[in-house]
Amino acid sequence: DLYKSLEHCNGTPVLTGIRPVIYFIKKSNIVAWPVRPSTAKAAVGEIATYNTAFTLAADKKFMKMDLNDLKNNFEAEAQGERPSRTFNNKLTVVLPGENADTAATVGLLINDSVIIIFFDRSGAARILGNEMYDVQANPSVKTGTSATDEHSTTIEFSVPDTQPAPYYAADIVCESGTINGATGAVKTTTVTP
């Protein structure tokens, strides 16, 4: 029996939202996937956590996407019928404005599949994407009509999974260096000339 008590200490803050940056990579650039423990051998929290790192193709790294703060959201909803129920994981992100690079990126995303790493406010990394299903990207752009309107690019990513965005406790190798997935802390930085 894998269940255990879920307790919360009154007065402990529960921070909402995600940090204003995500990391992404084409699914085809992943050579080997991290593995979550078997339900028969793991403690309950370990079932939803990847403890080993992605193996990436030669010279490939996660890329960064900066977001508008306080406008991004993750949600998971159960779907399907027993014994094949899964979660529909959805990550909605808002990028500031739009330029040629943003337009080209969302143009590629609508017909490709990426894996996304995002951080909750406590600093824990979460994975959107898996080996079984491709992530779908649905972008939209609005320029606004008045001086006080928002000019932004919104992307809704969605994918079925057996867990609501599993946790990722291993290293994230990205263009700017290496980040600890368990804490969100930068481990090393890449110095550019």
Side-chain angles (χ1 to χ4, degrees), residues 74-103:
F74 167 73
E75 55 187 277
E77 185 176 6
Q79 63 183 3
E81 300 293 329
R82 286 184 179 179
S84 301
R85 299 197 80 196
T86 59
F87 287 93
N88 181 24
N89 289 339
K90 289 194 287 188
L91 177 67
T92 303
V93 298
V94 180
L95 289 70
E98 183 210 23
N99 58 32
D101 287 344
T102 307

PDB file of all heavy atoms in Angstrom, residues 74-103:
ATOM      1  N   PHE A  74       0.102  26.553 -14.395  1.00  0.00           N
ATOM      2  CA  PHE A  74       0.055  25.119 -14.678  1.00  0.00           C
ATOM      3  C   PHE A  74      -1.210  24.553 -14.061  1.00  0.00           C
ATOM      4  O   PHE A  74      -1.584  24.908 -12.943  1.00  0.00           O
ATOM      5  CB  PHE A  74       1.274  24.386 -14.106  1.00  0.00           C
ATOM      6  CG  PHE A  74       1.091  22.894 -14.124  1.00  0.00           C
ATOM      7  CD1 PHE A  74       1.160  22.194 -15.310  1.00  0.00           C
ATOM      8  CD2 PHE A  74       0.780  22.197 -12.968  1.00  0.00           C
ATOM      9  CE1 PHE A  74       0.931  20.819 -15.351  1.00  0.00           C
ATOM     10  CE2 PHE A  74       0.559  20.836 -12.988  1.00  0.00           C
ATOM     11  CZ  PHE A  74       0.641  20.141 -14.187  1.00  0.00           C
ATOM     12  N   GLU A  75      -1.871  23.652 -14.791  1.00  0.00           N
ATOM     13  CA  GLU A  75      -3.009  22.942 -14.224  1.00  0.00           C
ATOM     14  C   GLU A  75      -3.058  21.527 -14.790  1.00  0.00           C
ATOM     15  O   GLU A  75      -2.615  21.288 -15.917  1.00  0.00           O
ATOM     16  CB  GLU A  75      -4.323  23.681 -14.465  1.00  0.00           C
ATOM     17  CG  GLU A  75      -4.629  24.008 -15.892  1.00  0.00           C
ATOM     18  CD  GLU A  75      -5.866  24.883 -16.021  1.00  0.00           C
ATOM     19  OE1 GLU A  75      -6.994  24.332 -16.010  1.00  0.00           O
ATOM     20  OE2 GLU A  75      -5.701  26.098 -16.147  1.00  0.00           O
ATOM     21  N   ALA A  76      -3.584  20.615 -13.995  1.00  0.00           N
ATOM     22  CA  ALA A  76      -3.723  19.218 -14.408  1.00  0.00           C
ATOM     23  C   ALA A  76      -5.125  18.761 -14.085  1.00  0.00           C
ATOM     24  O   ALA A  76      -5.642  19.053 -13.000  1.00  0.00           O
ATOM     25  CB  ALA A  76      -2.702  18.341 -13.686  1.00  0.00           C
ATOM     26  N   GLU A  77      -5.732  18.052 -15.023  1.00  0.00           N
ATOM     27  CA  GLU A  77      -7.087  17.566 -14.829  1.00  0.00           C
ATOM     28  C   GLU A  77      -7.153  16.099 -15.230  1.00  0.00           C
ATOM     29  O   GLU A  77      -6.644  15.712 -16.283  1.00  0.00           O
ATOM     30  CB  GLU A  77      -8.048  18.387 -15.684  1.00  0.00           C
ATOM     31  CG  GLU A  77      -9.492  18.048 -15.483  1.00  0.00           C
ATOM     32  CD  GLU A  77     -10.404  18.957 -16.297  1.00  0.00           C
ATOM     33  OE1 GLU A  77      -9.918  19.768 -17.092  1.00  0.00           O
ATOM     34  OE2 GLU A  77     -11.630  18.817 -16.131  1.00  0.00           O
ATOM     35  N   ALA A  78      -7.785  15.281 -14.391  1.00  0.00           N
ATOM     36  CA  ALA A  78      -7.933  13.854 -14.704  1.00  0.00           C
ATOM     37  C   ALA A  78      -8.840  13.693 -15.914  1.00  0.00           C
ATOM     38  O   ALA A  78      -9.776  14.462 -16.125  1.00  0.00           O
ATOM     39  CB  ALA A  78      -8.499  13.109 -13.504  1.00  0.00           C
ATOM     40  N   GLN A  79      -8.527  12.673 -16.724  1.00  0.00           N
ATOM     41  CA  GLN A  79      -9.311  12.414 -17.935  1.00  0.00           C
ATOM     42  C   GLN A  79      -9.370  10.919 -18.209  1.00  0.00           C
ATOM     43  O   GLN A  79      -8.525  10.163 -17.743  1.00  0.00           O
ATOM     44  CB  GLN A  79      -8.702  13.146 -19.134  1.00  0.00           C
ATOM     45  CG  GLN A  79      -7.294  12.678 -19.478  1.00  0.00           C
ATOM     46  CD  GLN A  79      -6.665  13.454 -20.624  1.00  0.00           C
ATOM     47  OE1 GLN A  79      -7.250  14.383 -21.144  1.00  0.00           O
ATOM     48  NE2 GLN A  79      -5.470  13.054 -21.017  1.00  0.00           N
ATOM     49  N   GLY A  80     -10.362  10.491 -19.004  1.00  0.00           N
ATOM     50  CA  GLY A  80     -10.456   9.098 -19.446  1.00  0.00           C
ATOM     51  C   GLY A  80     -11.276   8.231 -18.519  1.00  0.00           C
ATOM     52  O   GLY A  80     -11.912   8.692 -17.578  1.00  0.00           O
ATOM     53  N   GLU A  81     -11.253   6.932 -18.832  1.00  0.00           N
ATOM     54  CA  GLU A  81     -12.015   5.933 -18.088  1.00  0.00           C
ATOM     55  C   GLU A  81     -11.067   4.883 -17.514  1.00  0.00           C
ATOM     56  O   GLU A  81     -10.042   4.564 -18.108  1.00  0.00           O
ATOM     57  CB  GLU A  81     -13.021   5.233 -19.035  1.00  0.00           C
ATOM     58  CG  GLU A  81     -14.036   6.165 -19.679  1.00  0.00           C
ATOM     59  CD  GLU A  81     -15.003   6.769 -18.675  1.00  0.00           C
ATOM     60  OE1 GLU A  81     -15.302   6.095 -17.662  1.00  0.00           O
ATOM     61  OE2 GLU A  81     -15.450   7.912 -18.903  1.00  0.00           O
ATOM     62  N   ARG A  82     -11.417   4.340 -16.360  1.00  0.00           N
ATOM     63  CA  ARG A  82     -10.609   3.278 -15.768  1.00  0.00           C
ATOM     64  C   ARG A  82     -10.568   2.078 -16.684  1.00  0.00           C
ATOM     65  O   ARG A  82     -11.565   1.762 -17.323  1.00  0.00           O
ATOM     66  CB  ARG A  82     -11.221   2.840 -14.431  1.00  0.00           C
ATOM     67  CG  ARG A  82     -11.024   3.806 -13.322  1.00  0.00           C
ATOM     68  CD  ARG A  82     -11.577   3.218 -12.045  1.00  0.00           C
ATOM     69  NE  ARG A  82     -11.380   4.134 -10.926  1.00  0.00           N
ATOM     70  CZ  ARG A  82     -11.782   3.872  -9.697  1.00  0.00           C
ATOM     71  NH1 ARG A  82     -12.401   2.734  -9.433  1.00  0.00           N
ATOM     72  NH2 ARG A  82     -11.569   4.718  -8.732  1.00  0.00           N
ATOM     73  N   PRO A  83      -9.475   1.367 -16.771  1.00  0.00           N
ATOM     74  CA  PRO A  83      -8.225   1.538 -16.049  1.00  0.00           C
ATOM     75  C   PRO A  83      -7.192   2.355 -16.822  1.00  0.00           C
ATOM     76  O   PRO A  83      -5.988   2.200 -16.625  1.00  0.00           O
ATOM     77  CB  PRO A  83      -7.736   0.099 -15.886  1.00  0.00           C
ATOM     78  CG  PRO A  83      -8.166  -0.550 -17.174  1.00  0.00           C
ATOM     79  CD  PRO A  83      -9.478   0.106 -17.544  1.00  0.00           C
ATOM     80  N   SER A  84      -7.650   3.220 -17.717  1.00  0.00           N
ATOM     81  CA  SER A  84      -6.730   3.971 -18.578  1.00  0.00           C
ATOM     82  C   SER A  84      -6.760   5.466 -18.297  1.00  0.00           C
ATOM     83  O   SER A  84      -6.510   6.271 -19.187  1.00  0.00           O
ATOM     84  CB  SER A  84      -7.091   3.720 -20.048  1.00  0.00           C
ATOM     85  OG  SER A  84      -7.020   2.350 -20.351  1.00  0.00           O
ATOM     86  N   ARG A  85      -7.058   5.866 -17.081  1.00  0.00           N
ATOM     87  CA  ARG A  85      -7.128   7.284 -16.760  1.00  0.00           C
ATOM     88  C   ARG A  85      -5.736   7.905 -16.749  1.00  0.00           C
ATOM     89  O   ARG A  85      -4.758   7.276 -16.348  1.00  0.00           O
ATOM     90  CB  ARG A  85      -7.803   7.503 -15.413  1.00  0.00           C
ATOM     91  CG  ARG A  85      -9.233   6.978 -15.395  1.00  0.00           C
ATOM     92  CD  ARG A  85     -10.028   7.529 -14.257  1.00  0.00           C
ATOM     93  NE  ARG A  85     -10.462   8.882 -14.623  1.00  0.00           N
ATOM     94  CZ  ARG A  85     -10.916   9.776 -13.757  1.00  0.00           C
ATOM     95  NH1 ARG A  85     -10.983   9.468 -12.478  1.00  0.00           N
ATOM     96  NH2 ARG A  85     -11.301  10.969 -14.157  1.00  0.00           N
ATOM     97  N   THR A  86      -5.661   9.144 -17.190  1.00  0.00           N
ATOM     98  CA  THR A  86      -4.420   9.918 -17.185  1.00  0.00           C
ATOM     99  C   THR A  86      -4.759  11.337 -16.747  1.00  0.00           C
ATOM    100  O   THR A  86      -5.900  11.651 -16.437  1.00  0.00           O
ATOM    101  CB  THR A  86      -3.775   9.964 -18.591  1.00  0.00           C
ATOM    102  OG1 THR A  86      -4.708  10.549 -19.514  1.00  0.00           O
ATOM    103  CG2 THR A  86      -3.343   8.591 -19.064  1.00  0.00           C
ATOM    104  N   PHE A  87      -3.741  12.187 -16.747  1.00  0.00           N
ATOM    105  CA  PHE A  87      -3.932  13.613 -16.503  1.00  0.00           C
ATOM    106  C   PHE A  87      -3.728  14.367 -17.800  1.00  0.00           C
ATOM    107  O   PHE A  87      -2.852  14.013 -18.600  1.00  0.00           O
ATOM    108  CB  PHE A  87      -2.927  14.132 -15.469  1.00  0.00           C
ATOM    109  CG  PHE A  87      -3.231  13.689 -14.067  1.00  0.00           C
ATOM    110  CD1 PHE A  87      -2.647  12.544 -13.551  1.00  0.00           C
ATOM    111  CD2 PHE A  87      -4.097  14.418 -13.267  1.00  0.00           C
ATOM    112  CE1 PHE A  87      -2.927  12.128 -12.267  1.00  0.00           C
ATOM    113  CE2 PHE A  87      -4.390  14.008 -11.979  1.00  0.00           C
ATOM    114  CZ  PHE A  87      -3.800  12.863 -11.484  1.00  0.00           C
ATOM    115  N   ASN A  88      -4.526  15.403 -18.023  1.00  0.00           N
ATOM    116  CA  ASN A  88      -4.256  16.354 -19.091  1.00  0.00           C
ATOM    117  C   ASN A  88      -3.501  17.509 -18.455  1.00  0.00           C
ATOM    118  O   ASN A  88      -4.076  18.311 -17.720  1.00  0.00           O
ATOM    119  CB  ASN A  88      -5.559  16.849 -19.740  1.00  0.00           C
ATOM    120  CG  ASN A  88      -5.277  17.820 -20.867  1.00  0.00           C
ATOM    121  OD1 ASN A  88      -4.206  17.810 -21.463  1.00  0.00           O
ATOM    122  ND2 ASN A  88      -6.232  18.668 -21.159  1.00  0.00           N
ATOM    123  N   ASN A  89      -2.183  17.551 -18.686  1.00  0.00           N
ATOM    124  CA  ASN A  89      -1.333  18.591 -18.113  1.00  0.00           C
ATOM    125  C   ASN A  89      -1.294  19.784 -19.051  1.00  0.00           C
ATOM    126  O   ASN A  89      -0.998  19.633 -20.238  1.00  0.00           O
ATOM    127  CB  ASN A  89       0.081  18.055 -17.891  1.00  0.00           C
ATOM    128  CG  ASN A  89       0.136  17.050 -16.760  1.00  0.00           C
ATOM    129  OD1 ASN A  89      -0.732  17.020 -15.908  1.00  0.00           O
ATOM    130  ND2 ASN A  89       1.160  16.218 -16.754  1.00  0.00           N
ATOM    131  N   LYS A  90      -1.576  20.981 -18.509  1.00  0.00           N
ATOM    132  CA  LYS A  90      -1.580  22.193 -19.320  1.00  0.00           C
ATOM    133  C   LYS A  90      -0.719  23.262 -18.673  1.00  0.00           C
ATOM    134  O   LYS A  90      -0.871  23.552 -17.487  1.00  0.00           O
ATOM    135  CB  LYS A  90      -2.996  22.736 -19.488  1.00  0.00           C
ATOM    136  CG  LYS A  90      -3.861  21.886 -20.382  1.00  0.00           C
ATOM    137  CD  LYS A  90      -5.126  22.609 -20.800  1.00  0.00           C
ATOM    138  CE  LYS A  90      -6.094  22.699 -19.652  1.00  0.00           C
ATOM    139  NZ  LYS A  90      -7.407  23.230 -20.052  1.00  0.00           N
ATOM    140  N   LEU A  91       0.169  23.836 -19.456  1.00  0.00           N
ATOM    141  CA  LEU A  91       1.010  24.946 -19.013  1.00  0.00           C
ATOM    142  C   LEU A  91       0.735  26.114 -19.932  1.00  0.00           C
ATOM    143  O   LEU A  91       0.916  26.011 -21.152  1.00  0.00           O
ATOM    144  CB  LEU A  91       2.486  24.552 -19.074  1.00  0.00           C
ATOM    145  CG  LEU A  91       3.491  25.648 -18.707  1.00  0.00           C
ATOM    146  CD1 LEU A  91       3.372  25.996 -17.223  1.00  0.00           C
ATOM    147  CD2 LEU A  91       4.910  25.192 -19.034  1.00  0.00           C
ATOM    148  N   THR A  92       0.261  27.217 -19.365  1.00  0.00           N
ATOM    149  CA  THR A  92       0.008  28.422 -20.145  1.00  0.00           C
ATOM    150  C   THR A  92       1.042  29.460 -19.768  1.00  0.00           C
ATOM    151  O   THR A  92       1.184  29.802 -18.587  1.00  0.00           O
ATOM    152  CB  THR A  92      -1.411  28.960 -19.877  1.00  0.00           C
ATOM    153  OG1 THR A  92      -2.352  27.922 -20.171  1.00  0.00           O
ATOM    154  CG2 THR A  92      -1.705  30.173 -20.741  1.00  0.00           C
ATOM    155  N   VAL A  93       1.785  29.942 -20.763  1.00  0.00           N
ATOM    156  CA  VAL A  93       2.838  30.927 -20.521  1.00  0.00           C
ATOM    157  C   VAL A  93       2.582  32.168 -21.378  1.00  0.00           C
ATOM    158  O   VAL A  93       2.031  32.079 -22.475  1.00  0.00           O
ATOM    159  CB  VAL A  93       4.243  30.352 -20.798  1.00  0.00           C
ATOM    160  CG1 VAL A  93       4.540  29.179 -19.878  1.00  0.00           C
ATOM    161  CG2 VAL A  93       4.418  29.946 -22.247  1.00  0.00           C
ATOM    162  N   VAL A  94       3.009  33.322 -20.859  1.00  0.00           N
ATOM    163  CA  VAL A  94       2.830  34.589 -21.559  1.00  0.00           C
ATOM    164  C   VAL A  94       4.197  35.249 -21.737  1.00  0.00           C
ATOM    165  O   VAL A  94       4.894  35.509 -20.751  1.00  0.00           O
ATOM    166  CB  VAL A  94       1.878  35.528 -20.788  1.00  0.00           C
ATOM    167  CG1 VAL A  94       1.698  36.846 -21.535  1.00  0.00           C
ATOM    168  CG2 VAL A  94       0.531  34.848 -20.554  1.00  0.00           C
ATOM    169  N   LEU A  95       4.573  35.479 -22.998  1.00  0.00           N
ATOM    170  CA  LEU A  95       5.833  36.123 -23.333  1.00  0.00           C
ATOM    171  C   LEU A  95       5.583  37.605 -23.585  1.00  0.00           C
ATOM    172  O   LEU A  95       4.551  37.973 -24.153  1.00  0.00           O
ATOM    173  CB  LEU A  95       6.450  35.511 -24.590  1.00  0.00           C
ATOM    174  CG  LEU A  95       7.032  34.115 -24.506  1.00  0.00           C
ATOM    175  CD1 LEU A  95       5.971  33.061 -24.330  1.00  0.00           C
ATOM    176  CD2 LEU A  95       7.845  33.814 -25.741  1.00  0.00           C
ATOM    177  N   PRO A  96       6.532  38.457 -23.191  1.00  0.00           N
ATOM    178  CA  PRO A  96       6.344  39.881 -23.437  1.00  0.00           C
ATOM    179  C   PRO A  96       6.459  40.207 -24.921  1.00  0.00           C
ATOM    180  O   PRO A  96       7.431  39.844 -25.569  1.00  0.00           O
ATOM    181  CB  PRO A  96       7.464  40.538 -22.636  1.00  0.00           C
ATOM    182  CG  PRO A  96       8.489  39.473 -22.439  1.00  0.00           C
ATOM    183  CD  PRO A  96       7.771  38.163 -22.479  1.00  0.00           C
ATOM    184  N   GLY A  97       5.438  40.861 -25.478  1.00  0.00           N
ATOM    185  CA  GLY A  97       5.487  41.330 -26.855  1.00  0.00           C
ATOM    186  C   GLY A  97       5.572  40.221 -27.880  1.00  0.00           C
ATOM    187  O   GLY A  97       5.222  39.073 -27.637  1.00  0.00           O
ATOM    188  N   GLU A  98       6.054  40.612 -29.050  1.00  0.00           N
ATOM    189  CA  GLU A  98       6.285  39.682 -30.146  1.00  0.00           C
ATOM    190  C   GLU A  98       7.309  40.318 -31.073  1.00  0.00           C
ATOM    191  O   GLU A  98       7.283  41.523 -31.303  1.00  0.00           O
ATOM    192  CB  GLU A  98       4.996  39.416 -30.917  1.00  0.00           C
ATOM    193  CG  GLU A  98       5.180  38.392 -32.019  1.00  0.00           C
ATOM    194  CD  GLU A  98       4.249  38.594 -33.209  1.00  0.00           C
ATOM    195  OE1 GLU A  98       3.766  39.709 -33.411  1.00  0.00           O
ATOM    196  OE2 GLU A  98       4.062  37.625 -33.938  1.00  0.00           O
ATOM    197  N   ASN A  99       8.239  39.504 -31.557  1.00  0.00           N
ATOM    198  CA  ASN A  99       9.207  39.959 -32.551  1.00  0.00           C
ATOM    199  C   ASN A  99       9.429  38.815 -33.536  1.00  0.00           C
ATOM    200  O   ASN A  99       8.754  37.786 -33.468  1.00  0.00           O
ATOM    201  CB  ASN A  99      10.518  40.427 -31.888  1.00  0.00           C
ATOM    202  CG  ASN A  99      11.160  39.341 -31.046  1.00  0.00           C
ATOM    203  OD1 ASN A  99      11.058  38.155 -31.344  1.00  0.00           O
ATOM    204  ND2 ASN A  99      11.825  39.736 -29.969  1.00  0.00           N
ATOM    205  N   ALA A 100      10.364  38.987 -34.458  1.00  0.00           N
ATOM    206  CA  ALA A 100      10.569  37.969 -35.491  1.00  0.00           C
ATOM    207  C   ALA A 100      10.981  36.625 -34.890  1.00  0.00           C
ATOM    208  O   ALA A 100      10.533  35.571 -35.350  1.00  0.00           O
ATOM    209  CB  ALA A 100      11.619  38.452 -36.494  1.00  0.00           C
ATOM    210  N   ASP A 101      11.824  36.641 -33.849  1.00  0.00           N
ATOM    211  CA  ASP A 101      12.250  35.388 -33.215  1.00  0.00           C
ATOM    212  C   ASP A 101      11.073  34.686 -32.533  1.00  0.00           C
ATOM    213  O   ASP A 101      10.919  33.467 -32.621  1.00  0.00           O
ATOM    214  CB  ASP A 101      13.354  35.643 -32.193  1.00  0.00           C
ATOM    215  CG  ASP A 101      14.686  35.981 -32.846  1.00  0.00           C
ATOM    216  OD1 ASP A 101      14.845  35.738 -34.064  1.00  0.00           O
ATOM    217  OD2 ASP A 101      15.567  36.494 -32.138  1.00  0.00           O
ATOM    218  N   THR A 102      10.243  35.459 -31.841  1.00  0.00           N
ATOM    219  CA  THR A 102       9.070  34.886 -31.180  1.00  0.00           C
ATOM    220  C   THR A 102       8.110  34.294 -32.210  1.00  0.00           C
ATOM    221  O   THR A 102       7.623  33.176 -32.056  1.00  0.00           O
ATOM    222  CB  THR A 102       8.339  35.956 -30.348  1.00  0.00           C
ATOM    223  OG1 THR A 102       9.259  36.577 -29.460  1.00  0.00           O
ATOM    224  CG2 THR A 102       7.209  35.340 -29.548  1.00  0.00           C
ATOM    225  N   ALA A 103       7.848  35.056 -33.277  1.00  0.00           N
ATOM    226  CA  ALA A 103       6.936  34.584 -34.319  1.00  0.00           C
ATOM    227  C   ALA A 103       7.448  33.290 -34.952  1.00  0.00           C
ATOM    228  O   ALA A 103       6.689  32.350 -35.182  1.00  0.00           O
ATOM    229  CB  ALA A 103       6.736  35.658 -35.385  1.00  0.00           C
TER     230      ALA A 103
END
